[in-house]
Amino acid sequence: MKHVHRQEFDIGDLVQITGPVGARGEVGLITNKKRMIDFPRVEDYAWHKDEYHCFIKLTTGEASWIRAKFLRIIHRAEKKH
């Protein structure tokens, strides 16, 4: 079984957008995440904030992919056992 490493930002986390995008300051929920470039060999490690982006469903009803480096955690999703 493959172990999935919890990234700094993960699905279910409540976040605030901090970066230079139109929705700066908005709050939203991470519903998906992926690396920006897929490498042929995937290893279990903590991704750097510049390596991935998250799909955020905003409280305004809008949704968008936002780079992890432009997010701040408000509340982490509870870890499933």
Side-chain angles (χ1 to χ4, degrees):
M1 176 166 50
K2 183 178 176 181
H3 177 265
V4 178
H5 189 86
R6 192 207 195 287
Q7 304 304 325
E8 181 173 350
F9 299 100
D10 225 330
I11 295 171
D13 288 349
L14 188 64
V15 294
Q16 181 178 34
I17 299 172
T18 62
V21 293
R24 184 177 184 161
E26 290 290 332
V27 173
L29 184 70
I30 297 176
T31 60
N32 197 358
K33 66 176 182 179
K34 66 179 180 179
R35 292 176 65 192
M36 294 169 74
I37 299 173
D38 285 327
F39 295 104
R41 185 173 153 213
V42 178
E43 297 181 18
D44 182 30
Y45 71 98
W47 300 344
H48 187 275
K49 287 183 187 181
D50 282 332
E51 282 187 276
Y52 69 109
H53 51 190
C54 301
F55 194 74
I56 311 293
K57 177 75 172 177
L58 299 172
T59 56
T60 61
E62 298 177 70
S64 183
W65 285 99
I66 300 184
R67 292 179 72 161
K69 70 180 186 177
F70 297 131
L71 300 174
R72 181 179 68 85
I73 289 286
I74 292 175
H75 183 357
R76 290 198 187 282
E78 291 187 22
K79 186 178 179 181
K80 294 180 182 179
H81 297 290

